Amino acid sequence: MTKKEIAANEFEDHQKLLLSRLQHRFEKIAEGGGPKRIAKQHAKGKLTARERVEALVDPDSKFLEIGAFAGFDMYEEYGGCPAGGVIVGLGQIQGRRCVIVANDATVKAGAWFPITGKKNLRAQEIAMENHIPIIYLVDSAGVFLPMQDEIFADKEHFGRIFRNNAKMSAMGIPQISAVMGSCVAGGAYLPIMSDESLIVEGTGSIFLAGPYLVKAAIGEDVDSETLGGATTHSEISGVTDYKVKDDQEAIDTIRDLVSHLGKPDLAGFDRREAKPPKGGDDELLRVIPNDPAKPYPSRNLLKALVDDGKFTEYKKGYGQTILCAYARIDGWSVGIVANNREVVRSKKGETQFGGVIYSDSADKASRFIMNCNQKKIPLVFLHDVTGFMVGSRSEQGGIIKDGAKMVSAMANSTVPKFTIVVGNSYGAGNYAMCGRAYDPRLMLAWPNAKIAVMGGKQAAKVLLQIEVGSKKARGETVSQHDQDALLKKIEDRYDRQTSPYYAAARLWVDAIIDPRESRNWISAGIEAANHAEVEKFNVGVIQT
């Protein structure tokens, strides 16, 4: 066995260890509020949120869950909020790609934490960007009152949901809601602002104020069913469109309604017969080193990702710390922008460090992005970037302007963009490579990903210098032992904040994925994006 093969085996073992941890954590999250609350849900004749989603999507199709780690290690003082208390993802219903949103009533009765609101808004954003139907499976007690100040009144808070309902209706995006449990207060507007709404007899209820609040407010005694049950809203108020006997009939009705949707106009992204990549499914696990600082040939990453391992590289000999290539992923034509982690020699004889964006590589990427927009080719960004090159030579060479050109071209790109963090994603490199702030249709991370303003060791040393300087300014002495202990504390905190779980908990990324699922996610993303018209590309003054 060669040294390369031994190293590749080590990389694979490391990735599989990370994937095992990912799976273990997901299984815990998938329990929602726990077995007792699941049993309580079943005792009421109700399916859980995950069971509803599973029954709704087409058999043998794959539900791509978004935000599974939302709220991870957050809200511990309230007992946690697994998956943000709501299941969101892309699923096939009657062969039609849809966004699905299902409240998890086993988590605080489906109440909305701040991250719940953010996740619901992300689901609507995906539907709006891609012009695809969205299905709401409603079962929620409304805003989580102890945190109402963080979810109620601001622009991106709870009320934005209903604004988006109205906007999507005007855009012609189908919205279908099924009230399968509680739907109270402001939340009552969501299903009624959808195009069509269903309500489950006996378990579904809709009202602006429940029986206790009605009693307190106006002195009226009324039970939940009379106030806002299925019969009331289907036969008296006319608020809902369909009354169904149970969860399964609700799901069957939704599937039937989706089957009648008209066919959308397609954007026209090119797709041909898909071919598997070279090396088999596990080859993507054998590319990235265990040590995130170690160089590696990034072209191997492309070979393991694209159809038949074939790609056409743009400006191969120029700007070598970024790879730009045309290829196919699951048959779809794509333009790939990937950080090259090899140490290379420029044509000027200069050593260029892998993962760093230099002026020439920024210039190359800018031109490639513009070409892809010109030819209506979706873009895939693969992050393993430490940032832009610094130092007097780079500054005098105009690295800031070249970097600005790349950011401008990427930010103004109108073809769909998809981002996968396969390694490091640091500093302005995160921005230039289409980080979350630049509207990728999907932003994904591998389990080894790291996202931060700079690498952990560098940041820890900077923070240590600031802390020690502050102590000395106050006349305090700091021993070497104290400095070492402080450095360790800072490194541990920074390492936790750079992990993909920290990012996923806050929805900085949509999902942490098995590298072997990268092709499926990109393919599903382009399929969804193909439903929305591509706007005209205009780069603006920075590119002139």
Side-chain angles (χ1 to χ4, degrees):
M1 188 177 290
T2 66
K3 287 184 178 180
K4 286 185 179 180
E5 289 172 330
I6 292 171
N9 288 340
E10 290 176 355
F11 302 165
E12 182 178 351
D13 289 343
H14 180 66
Q15 284 283 6
K16 286 185 174 178
L17 182 64
L18 295 177
L19 288 170
S20 176
R21 181 186 303 164
L22 176 69
Q23 181 62 27
H24 175 75
R25 288 177 171 176
F26 174 74
E27 288 172 358
K28 182 66 177 174
I29 287 169
E31 292 178 354
K36 289 184 179 179
R37 289 178 181 168
I38 290 173
K40 188 176 180 181
Q41 182 110 335
H42 288 162
K44 295 178 181 178
K46 297 164 64 176
L47 300 173
T48 65
R50 292 186 180 277
E51 290 168 342
R52 288 166 177 167
V53 171
E54 184 179 0
L56 181 60
V57 299
D58 293 344
D60 302 322
S61 69
K62 189 170 182 63
F63 176 69
L64 299 177
E65 185 168 352
I66 291 166
F69 284 88
F72 181 76
D73 278 349
M74 296 169 65
Y75 313 119
E76 294 301 318
E77 66 272 33
Y78 299 112
C81 186
V86 61
I87 313 305
V88 168
L90 290 166
Q92 292 273 10
I93 302 175
Q94 299 284 22
R96 188 74 170 263
R97 183 69 65 179
C98 300
V99 176
I100 301 170
V101 180
N103 300 115
D104 187 349
T106 70
V107 179
K108 292 289 189 293
W112 289 53
F113 284 71
I115 198 67
T116 317
K118 187 174 183 179
K119 189 170 175 180
N120 275 266
L121 288 172
R122 176 63 182 139
Q124 291 184 318
E125 181 181 44
I126 292 170
M128 293 168 80
E129 284 179 333
N130 297 297
H131 216 279
I132 58 176
I134 184 167
I135 313 298
Y136 307 99
L137 307 180
V138 184
D139 194 348
S140 172
V143 167
F144 185 61
L145 292 178
M147 302 189 76
Q148 64 85 26
D149 61 319
E150 296 183 43
I151 189 174
F152 173 68
D154 208 350
K155 180 179 179 181
E156 298 295 331
H157 282 180
F158 191 64
R160 190 77 170 182
I161 302 288
F162 317 127
R163 175 264 189 192
N164 287 350
N165 287 141
K167 289 288 186 181
M168 281 191 280
S169 182
M171 293 168 67
I173 297 171
Q175 301 175 81
I176 301 172
S177 292
V179 179
M180 308 174 87
S182 297
C183 184
V184 300
Y189 287 105
L190 185 147
I192 311 313
M193 294 187 74
S194 299
D195 299 319
E196 293 182 283
S197 60
L198 305 82
I199 187 168
V200 178
E201 195 171 6
T203 57
S205 59
I206 309 172
F207 32 65
L208 294 179
Y212 293 116
L213 185 54
V214 168
K215 175 67 174 176
I218 63 173
E220 179 184 1
D221 286 307
V222 62
D223 62 84
S224 293
E225 195 64 28
T226 302
L227 184 63
T231 298
T232 293
H233 285 311
S234 296
E235 301 177 15
I236 301 174
S237 72
V239 163
T240 56
D241 304 306
Y242 307 93
K243 180 172 75 171
V244 294
K245 69 177 186 297
D246 55 25
D247 282 9
Q248 188 57 57
E249 186 176 346
I251 288 163
D252 292 341
T253 303
I254 293 169
R255 288 183 54 81
D256 181 64
L257 293 173
V258 172
S259 75
H260 291 284
L261 294 176
K263 299 298 181 186
D265 295 328
L266 299 180
F269 303 126
D270 186 61
R271 191 179 196 185
R272 298 181 183 176
E273 183 182 354
K275 296 179 181 179
K278 295 288 187 183
D281 291 341
D282 287 348
E283 193 62 27
L284 279 171
L285 305 179
R286 300 166 60 82
V287 177
I288 308 293
N290 305 357
D291 181 355
K294 188 175 180 179
Y296 62 91
S298 297
R299 288 179 180 85
N300 290 349
L301 171 62
L302 270 62
K303 290 176 184 177
L305 178 67
V306 306
D307 286 15
D308 204 28
K310 294 180 179 178
F311 53 91
T312 301
E313 195 167 339
Y314 176 79
K315 290 185 180 288
K316 183 176 181 179
Y318 175 72
Q320 296 180 72
T321 63
I322 282 185
L323 304 178
C324 297
Y326 299 108
R328 292 188 181 274
I329 294 178
D330 198 33
W332 293 103
S333 171
V334 297
I336 298 175
V337 180
N339 302 111
N340 186 11
R341 287 299 310 275
E342 291 182 286
V343 178
V344 298
R345 297 279 289 182
S346 73
K347 295 303 179 182
K348 296 179 181 179
E350 299 169 337
T351 299
Q352 294 187 335
F353 299 99
V356 179
I357 302 176
Y358 291 77
S359 285
D360 55 357
S361 49
D363 175 64
K364 176 172 88 171
S366 300
R367 294 173 183 273
F368 182 73
I369 290 166
M370 289 189 281
N371 281 346
C372 286
N373 275 270
Q374 181 76 7
K375 296 188 280 190
K376 203 157 72 171
I377 299 173
L379 284 159
V380 176
F381 293 84
L382 303 177
H383 287 219
D384 198 347
V385 59
T386 54
F388 284 87
M389 189 59 191
V390 297
S392 60
R393 178 180 293 182
S394 292
E395 297 293 358
Q396 291 168 14
I399 184 66
I400 294 175
K401 185 166 183 61
D402 288 321
K405 288 181 179 179
M406 180 177 174
V407 171
S408 178
M410 180 275 304
N412 285 301
S413 173
T414 57
V415 296
K417 299 172 292 191
F418 302 90
T419 297
I420 305 179
V421 183
V422 302
N424 303 316
S425 185
Y426 293 150
N430 171 279
Y431 298 165
M433 292 292 293
C434 195
R436 177 57 108 194
Y438 296 87
D439 299 321
R441 297 294 175 94
L442 291 171
M443 180 149 181
L444 312 166
W446 287 4
N448 58 296
K450 292 183 179 297
I451 303 172
V453 72
M454 65 176 71
K457 290 184 178 180
Q458 300 94 316
K461 288 177 181 178
V462 171
L463 291 169
L464 177 65
Q465 290 172 5
I466 294 171
E467 186 73 18
V468 170
S470 178
K471 287 179 178 291
K472 288 181 177 179
R474 295 196 300 267
E476 302 175 21
T477 59
V478 185
S479 68
Q480 186 60 49
H481 178 271
D482 289 342
Q483 288 189 42
D484 292 343
L486 185 57
L487 181 63
K488 178 67 165 58
K489 181 180 178 181
I490 293 171
E491 284 180 343
D492 289 346
R493 184 182 75 227
Y494 206 84
D495 285 345
R496 181 176 65 86
Q497 292 177 351
T498 61
S499 84
Y501 295 99
Y502 193 90
R506 290 152 182 81
L507 289 174
W508 300 346
V509 298
D510 292 311
I512 307 172
I513 65 169
D514 185 330
R516 294 168 294 192
E517 288 293 312
S518 300
R519 286 167 53 83
N520 291 337
W521 276 88
I522 294 169
S523 179
I526 298 175
E527 179 197 338
N530 203 28
H531 291 73
E533 183 180 350
V534 177
E535 297 176 5
K536 183 180 178 181
F537 178 60
N538 189 342
V539 293
V541 70
I542 296 176
Q543 288 295 325
T544 60

